[in-house]
Amino acid sequence: MHNFELVKPSTIAEAVAALGQEGAQALSGGQTLIPTMKQRLNMPDMLVSLTGIAEMKGVCKGDGGLHIGAATQHAVVAKEAAAAYPALAKLAGGIGDPAVRNRGTIGGSLANNDPSACYPAAALASGATIVTNQRSIAADDYFQGMFATALEEGEIITEIRFPIPEKAAYLKFEQPASRFALTGVFVAKYPSGVRVAVTGASNDGVFRWAEAEAALSANFAPSALESLSLSGEGMIADLHGSGDYRAHLAKVLTKRAVLAAS
Amino acid sequence: MAKVSMTVNGKAVSGEVEGRTLLSTFLREGLGLTGTHIGCDTSQCGACTVHVDGKQVKSCAMFAAEADGAEVRTIEGMANADGSLSVIQQAFQDHHGLQCGFCTPGMVMAAASLLADNPKPTEAEVRHHLEGNMCRCTGYHNIVKAVLAASGQDAGQIAAE
Ligand SMILES: Cc1cc2nc3c(=O)[nH]c(=O)nc-3n(C[C@H](O)[C@H](O)[C@H](O)COP(=O)(O)OP(=O)(O)OC[C@H]3O[C@@H](n4cnc5c(N)ncnc54)[C@H](O)[C@@H]3O)c2cc1C
Ligand code: FES
Ligand code: FES
């Protein structure tokens, strides 16, 4: 790994100032970044640690529903979101393994936007708001393809606000070696309608399945999905599964998520 | 280089580290605590599991400077004060929960954090908790048995296939 300087600011303002320097990059839980640095896919001159910033940590209820600080670890969300938003807490408790959950953070996951990550499905299906040091971004505008987001250079996520649904569930078909989603589906039912987000399937990253949303908004039952199908075109095809397989999984998981939603 | 100070197994320690120095490197090369094993160095195997402020982490996926000021516990800090094996370690020996022993430090640290949180886990909870710890020898059954036995539960029903 190339060497770098590690700085540990204690406020968002200090972090943003440090990130303004040439070659600086944010470090949150490091569960994605450190392995990529070992492979020299990433060679920052300076890492700005976000995990010591108190204003970026914690779970609480607010105007936007459930507000979660971006530097909050998965294990904390799994515990502290359990009463207000059980489906989200369950998703957090199913990420990777206990050690990954003790370090990895929600902000790091959303900033990375891995096409097989879990949190992007929750944020998109919940119509969450991604709050940064500069602005608020609707989840619908935030995810812009595999590993691509609306974040600008030096911009950091500070908080994520999740409107709390009437019912929701996340079902993940695990890739058994990594425990990432081979395909995962988050279904959330709001008074305004149902939202369905699929991760681990498309080459463009997480996406909303509009036909399923319309069908489920009219009738929130697995049978409403019977006549629908997703195309395998544009889906990820790798040694774990073909595009058609993932398209099929997405439908099966959507049905199961509707059944599991509570 | 920057100075870091932390408590490791109850002892105050400090040393000079680079930004890129991993916690695993600091423990093994800086402090000579080679009980923390490096199986993969890619966050996959869990052999390097230690506790930082009471939480299990992969020490190959954290920088030493991030543990500045923290309480760290490694396998070297697990035995009883008189040097005898702790309940968990003894259970691994009694139930043949290790063969080559390479994964064992990580397994013991992971088991300790499970039992601290959940003193009477079910078999399924033990298996779920150990998902990030790979063992290439035992086939896991005897490890699960050892953890259940360490929790004071009857491990007899677990198949030792
Ligand atoms: C063995 C293993 C299994 C895993 N399994 C799963 C799984 O099942 N599901 C899943 O979803 N994920 C999984 N992950 C990934 C894990 O959830 C990571 O924690 C997460 O993807 C990144 O979060 P982090 O806090 O570790 O971010 P880091 O690694 O610190 O950062 C990742 C990237 O985001 C940037 N960044 C971090 N925080 C911010 C911020 N607040 N604002 C802007 N940019 C930021 C960094 O600069 C970097 O580019 C797994 C990881 C491992 C090692
Ligand atoms: S050596 Fe750290 S996870 Fe394998
Ligand atoms: S005992 Fe050999 S790897 Fe587990």
Side-chain angles (χ1 to χ4, degrees), chain A residues 8-261:
Chain A
K8 297 195 273 183
S10 53
T11 65
I12 293 171
E14 285 169 21
V16 170
L19 284 166
Q21 297 176 60
E22 184 76 24
Q25 188 173 352
L27 170 69
S28 198
Q31 301 304 291
T32 296
L33 185 54
I34 295 176
T36 62
M37 286 172 63
K38 288 179 180 175
Q39 294 174 289
R40 299 193 172 180
L41 295 172
N42 232 313
M43 294 182 276
D45 296 320
M46 179 193 277
L47 283 186
V48 181
S49 170
L50 305 177
T51 51
I53 303 176
E55 54 188 320
M56 280 179 64
K57 294 178 99 162
V59 178
C60 66
K61 277 199 173 173
D63 299 344
L66 197 65
H67 297 192
I68 303 181
T72 310
Q73 287 89 1
H74 308 326
V76 174
V77 176
K79 273 205 175 112
E80 295 187 7
Y85 196 163
L88 183 65
K90 191 151 177 259
L91 174 149
I95 292 176
D97 56 60
V100 167
R101 294 194 288 274
N102 281 336
R103 296 290 303 162
T105 66
I106 184 169
S109 176
L110 292 174
N112 194 48
N113 193 20
D114 187 296
S116 301
C118 301
Y119 269 128
L124 191 58
S126 306
T129 301
I130 317 295
V131 182
T132 77
N133 59 306
Q134 300 173 13
R135 58 193 165 136
S136 294
I137 311 169
D140 284 320
D141 303 324
Y142 175 82
F143 299 103
Q144 303 195 343
M146 199 179 265
F147 297 110
T149 70
L151 292 176
E152 310 268 357
E153 191 72 25
E155 183 175 12
I156 53 170
I157 305 175
T158 55
E159 185 175 85
I160 303 91
R161 299 183 176 165
F162 290 90
I164 297 173
E166 296 169 346
K167 287 180 170 195
Y170 175 62
L171 269 255
K172 152 161 99 162
F173 192 88
E174 279 184 15
Q175 201 274 74
S178 74
R179 291 172 299 284
F180 271 92
L182 185 56
T183 293
V185 176
F186 201 109
V187 171
K189 182 174 186 292
Y190 288 91
S192 55
V194 175
R195 291 172 67 108
V196 178
V198 182
T199 187
S202 170
N203 277 321
D204 292 330
V206 68
F207 68 94
R208 284 174 68 185
W209 184 10
E211 291 80 12
E213 291 185 350
L216 291 170
S217 295
N219 173 20
F220 194 68
S223 58
L225 300 164
E226 227 42 87
S227 61
L228 302 184
S229 64
L230 273 168
S231 158
E233 202 126 324
M235 295 289 185
I236 301 168
D238 58 19
L239 78 167
H240 306 297
S242 65
D244 286 341
Y245 178 65
R246 283 184 161 85
H248 175 72
L249 264 184
K251 176 171 171 178
V252 172
L253 292 171
T254 307
K255 282 189 185 173
R256 290 186 188 169
V258 171
L259 278 178

Side-chain angles (χ1 to χ4, degrees), chain B residues 24-87:
Chain B
S24 51
T25 311
F26 180 68
L27 292 170
R28 289 175 54 84
E29 295 172 21
L31 303 178
L33 296 174
T34 52
T36 296
H37 288 170
I38 304 302
C40 66
D41 210 20
T42 57
S43 317
Q44 307 299 314
C45 77
C48 66
T49 304
V50 302
H51 296 181
V52 174
D53 290 330
K55 307 243 180 285
Q56 80 180 79
V57 305
K58 295 178 188 176
S59 60
C60 79
M62 176 170 182
F63 295 114
E66 292 183 279
D68 191 33
E71 288 273 346
V72 177
R73 197 157 183 227
T74 70
I75 190 68
E76 287 89 347
M78 291 304 284
N80 299 321
D82 66 0
S84 60
L85 296 181
S86 67
V87 170

